[in-house]
Amino acid sequence: MKRFIEENSKEQFDVIIIGGGITGAAVAYEAATRGLHVALLEKKDFGWATSAATSKLIHGGLRYLAYMEIPLVRESLRERRILENIAPTLVYPFPFMIPNYKSLLNNRWVLKMGMIMYDILSFDKGWTWDRSKKIPLHSQISREKALQEEPNLKAEGLTAATIYYDCQSIFPERLTLMFIKSAVNYGAKVANYAEVKDFLYRNNSIAGVTVYDTLNNKEIDIEGKLIINCGGPWADIILKKAENGTVKHQIRRSEGIHIITKPIVNKYAVTLMSKKGRHFFLIPWRGYSLIGTTDKEYIGNPDNYRVTKESIQELLDDVNEYFGDGTLSYNDIKYTYGGLRPLVEDQVEGTYQSSRRYEIYDNAEEGVQGLITVEGGKYTTSRNLAVKVMKVVEKKLKYSLPKSITHKQHLAGCEIKDLEAFFNTVYTSDTSFDKKSLEVLAKYFGTEIDTVIKIAGSNKKFREIVTHDGEILAEVIYAIRHEMARTLPDIVFRRTGICTAGNPGNDKLTLVAETAAKELRWDKKELSMQLNEVKQRLQLPK
């Protein structure tokens, strides 16, 4: 991939998409597959904000049944299956456990009714391309069996446990990137570190954008017939840059944080509910436990958002009240991350009770011609949201577009029909690598693993393992040469998992930074700045 703004030849695009999170990435892919000339612009790096602050789940939204959001649940369950199919190395069925306690909110029979409905709505869950992706029906296990499987459950009042399946997205940042790479394969032009500063106008209609290339410190104008605002928590800020009309839409922002701790759950993603009626998860991930999420309204500029110690403590308090021996502390946290979710303005008061539905606005209704805005949504339904966006694009551009094909073809790097056969081939292709390295490379890079292995073979140093679960230094080179990584955070948080579970160790981190510096030709000052930025992010808030 290349940053097209560095070689822009004054071409005109059919659509210019602002925002390189999962929504913008899915819209870019959908638009490109329909034959549109597409440009995607992201002010920082692809998937750096909301799309990197998830619970790493692709789910049907079981809790939305309580609010009778049945169409959203059905859509989510269908899209869950589609993502299993089109991204087989990155999305996997995963078992969930809901402990059944005597309290009404966790009543066994209430849960039973909900799970039956969930199974009915996911009637097509067995229609997967790969048999390993099929999801079973829910089941019940006894109190004794539940405690045997997850010894840290609170035993008092426990009557049984409900087991069901959703999916785990093992590396959401790479899944977002695979949508972008898929769009590029269909001719889309993309650029990170390309901030939209203003809109261009022609005949009282938006006809393009002025973009600031933050890496090269220059501005360029890019023309497009239609602008699609996929700015997520920044969508209303982007709208305010439009000069014509009075923009009325305001986005509510919900903060969600996660913490990574020592392993305190074994094989299940344990789902619990606080006294306030909010669910949270404890999920096994990369040998640790991933715990989240909070869900409370955030007031302020999204650029200023940071995880606070107070938010972390609130989450710890919930965990200690409902799980374990009550001693999980700040010192047990290996890493924490958080982000903001956009919620459409007419949703209910509490952000937790707000569903993850979405809206597509034609801003012509507010006097802003040539612009549409996408608000709300969630990771699981992003592909189908993009399909619906194309219906609006057709009307605005007066085009007759071909039907969607994104539900029936693999994403870039994911072109695998039989996952078991694929892994077996990887394991036997080069026995000089540690098996855990081959496994993690196969999952993260899919069919692109051969290029990573080739890089590793070019220099013995690039074979060095830099994480507890087997990632290697060659990934750093691959990220820079093939995936538009331009900063150390790009590399260690979004192209690889080197720092997504916390600091791999200062020696390893320094090695990674020095390798990137050589490839990107950083001087000592730049290397120090990049390294310090990552170290600061890895520190827990004080």
Side-chain angles (χ1 to χ4, degrees):
M1 297 195 302
K2 295 182 179 179
R3 300 178 70 243
F4 82 98
I5 60 172
E6 294 180 352
E7 49 190 33
N8 181 49
S9 59
K10 297 296 181 181
E11 55 192 315
Q12 186 184 64
F13 295 93
D14 292 315
V15 293
I16 297 174
I17 298 161
I18 304 174
I22 185 57
T23 301
V27 171
Y29 178 41
E30 188 68 37
T33 61
R34 305 286 191 95
L36 294 174
H37 193 26
V38 178
L40 182 144
L41 303 165
E42 165 55 52
K43 74 171 187 174
K44 292 192 178 180
D45 188 34
F46 306 122
W48 72 279
T50 304
S51 298
T54 76
S55 299
K56 307 186 192 302
L57 301 176
I58 299 296
H59 64 97
L62 176 62
R63 70 178 176 87
Y64 304 146
L65 287 177
Y67 310 117
M68 299 305 294
E69 293 270 10
I70 292 175
L72 175 62
V73 175
R74 171 57 198 150
E75 177 191 15
S76 300
L77 290 168
R78 183 188 68 244
E79 291 300 310
R80 181 189 69 182
R81 171 180 55 81
I82 289 173
L83 285 171
E84 285 183 275
N85 286 339
I86 68 176
T89 61
L90 293 169
V91 178
Y92 296 86
F94 202 83
F96 285 67
M97 175 189 286
I98 304 177
N100 305 152
Y101 289 96
K102 292 180 180 178
S103 63
L104 179 62
L105 288 176
N106 287 293
N107 184 277
R108 180 174 179 177
W109 302 111
V110 172
L111 278 173
K112 182 71 175 178
M113 292 171 60
M115 294 312 310
I116 291 173
M117 177 66 75
Y118 206 56
D119 281 339
I120 292 172
L121 290 173
S122 60
F123 63 88
D124 55 353
K125 58 178 170 284
W127 303 356
T128 54
W129 300 344
D130 188 317
R131 62 184 181 181
S132 70
K133 299 293 182 177
K134 292 183 179 180
I135 289 178
L137 297 172
H138 83 280
S139 62
Q140 296 278 341
I141 61 174
S142 67
R143 175 184 187 274
E144 291 71 26
K145 181 67 172 176
L147 289 170
Q148 180 182 343
E149 296 279 9
E150 296 294 344
N152 286 323
L153 289 173
K154 294 280 189 182
E156 184 179 355
L158 182 68
T159 60
T162 300
I163 306 299
Y164 74 101
Y165 278 74
D166 261 317
C167 286
Q168 186 172 57
S169 173
I170 61 170
F171 199 157
E173 297 88 342
R174 285 204 65 80
L175 185 53
T176 297
L177 187 66
M178 292 305 102
F179 271 93
I180 290 173
K181 294 178 82 168
S182 300
V184 170
N185 287 347
Y186 273 88
K189 303 292 182 69
V190 302
N192 52 0
Y193 298 100
E195 182 177 2
V196 172
K197 303 295 286 187
D198 204 353
F199 291 102
L200 306 176
Y201 293 87
R202 186 180 299 115
N203 300 325
N204 295 318
S205 177
I206 293 177
V209 292
T210 297
V211 178
Y212 177 58
D213 179 351
T214 61
L215 298 183
N216 296 301
N217 192 27
K218 66 177 183 179
E219 287 189 353
I220 64 170
D221 291 341
I222 301 174
E223 296 185 358
K225 298 176 184 177
L226 183 65
I227 314 299
I228 305 177
N229 175 8
C230 297
W234 287 265
D236 54 350
I237 295 173
I238 293 170
L239 278 173
K240 289 176 183 177
K241 296 179 181 180
E243 295 177 353
N244 298 335
T246 302
V247 176
K248 298 177 181 178
H249 289 301
Q250 296 294 321
I251 292 178
R252 297 180 64 195
R253 300 171 179 91
S254 170
E255 175 199 33
I257 75 159
H258 297 78
I259 57 177
I260 296 172
T261 73
K262 61 184 181 182
I264 57 175
V265 283
N266 292 335
K267 58 183 283 189
Y268 292 96
V270 178
T271 305
L272 296 167
M273 184 183 290
S274 70
K275 287 182 179 178
K276 296 181 180 179
R278 183 180 58 78
H279 289 89
F280 61 95
F281 300 97
L282 299 96
I283 307 167
W285 180 72
R286 293 183 66 185
Y288 301 108
S289 288
L290 171 63
I291 304 172
T293 178
T294 58
D295 206 328
K296 62 181 181 180
E297 188 162 16
Y298 172 81
I299 305 296
N301 189 323
D303 285 324
N304 297 331
Y305 171 74
R306 300 290 185 275
V307 177
T308 65
K309 188 172 183 179
E310 290 75 18
S311 293
I312 293 173
Q313 192 59 53
E314 288 176 10
L315 185 55
L316 284 172
D317 290 344
D318 279 344
V319 173
N320 283 325
E321 185 171 1
Y322 297 101
F323 190 83
D325 60 5
T327 62
L328 191 68
S329 73
Y330 204 74
N331 293 330
D332 294 317
I333 298 174
K334 180 174 177 58
Y335 180 55
T336 183
Y337 63 91
L340 302 176
R341 309 180 188 97
L343 304 171
V344 296
E345 65 175 342
D346 63 345
Q347 290 174 345
V348 297
E349 283 300 313
T351 63
Y352 178 73
Q353 283 73 27
S354 297
S355 70
R356 295 294 180 258
R357 60 186 174 87
Y358 47 74
E359 301 285 354
I360 305 166
Y361 297 104
D362 181 352
N363 298 111
E365 298 175 4
E366 299 171 328
V368 183
Q369 299 289 342
L371 176 68
I372 63 177
T373 295
V374 182
E375 296 181 2
K378 64 173 187 170
Y379 216 115
T380 307
T381 55
S382 55
R383 188 209 65 88
N384 195 50
L385 170 56
V387 173
K388 294 182 178 181
V389 170
M390 288 304 105
K391 294 180 180 179
V392 179
V393 171
E394 278 189 299
K395 293 179 181 178
K396 295 294 291 182
L397 295 181
K398 297 181 172 60
Y399 286 179
S400 179
L401 300 178
K403 292 183 178 180
S404 177
I405 60 172
T406 55
H407 64 294
K408 57 184 181 182
Q409 62 184 21
H410 291 103
L411 293 176
C414 299
E415 304 91 343
I416 300 164
K417 293 182 178 180
D418 186 327
L419 205 58
E420 182 179 355
F422 171 71
F423 279 110
N424 286 336
T425 299
V426 169
Y427 294 151
T428 57
S429 62
D430 192 334
T431 56
S432 65
F433 281 91
D434 190 294
K435 185 178 179 180
K436 68 179 183 180
S437 292
L438 292 173
E439 181 180 4
V440 74
L441 292 176
K443 286 182 175 180
Y444 289 176
F445 298 94
T447 57
E448 298 171 350
I449 187 176
D450 290 344
T451 307
V452 182
I453 294 296
K454 185 177 180 180
I455 292 171
S458 69
N459 187 329
K460 185 178 180 180
K461 176 183 175 182
F462 296 157
R463 300 169 68 98
E464 184 167 343
I465 294 175
V466 292
T467 66
H468 71 286
D469 52 357
E471 292 194 66
I472 62 175
L473 203 57
E475 297 171 58
V476 176
I477 304 299
Y478 183 81
I480 295 168
R481 294 179 183 174
H482 300 278
E483 295 185 333
M484 214 183 289
R486 292 294 178 267
T487 72
L488 190 58
D490 295 349
I491 295 165
V492 300
F493 292 115
R494 292 177 287 276
R495 304 302 188 277
T496 76
I498 292 171
C499 288
T500 59
N503 194 331
N506 288 332
D507 290 345
K508 297 293 186 185
L509 185 55
T510 300
L511 173 63
V512 168
E514 289 174 346
T515 302
K518 185 175 181 179
E519 187 73 14
L520 289 167
R521 299 179 182 178
W522 295 336
D523 58 23
K524 290 184 178 180
K525 181 179 179 181
E526 182 66 25
L527 169 60
S528 178
M529 288 175 57
Q530 294 281 338
L531 196 52
N532 286 337
E533 182 178 349
V534 169
K535 287 181 177 180
Q536 287 178 9
R537 178 167 167 178
L538 291 170
Q539 290 180 349
L540 296 180
K542 298 178 180 179

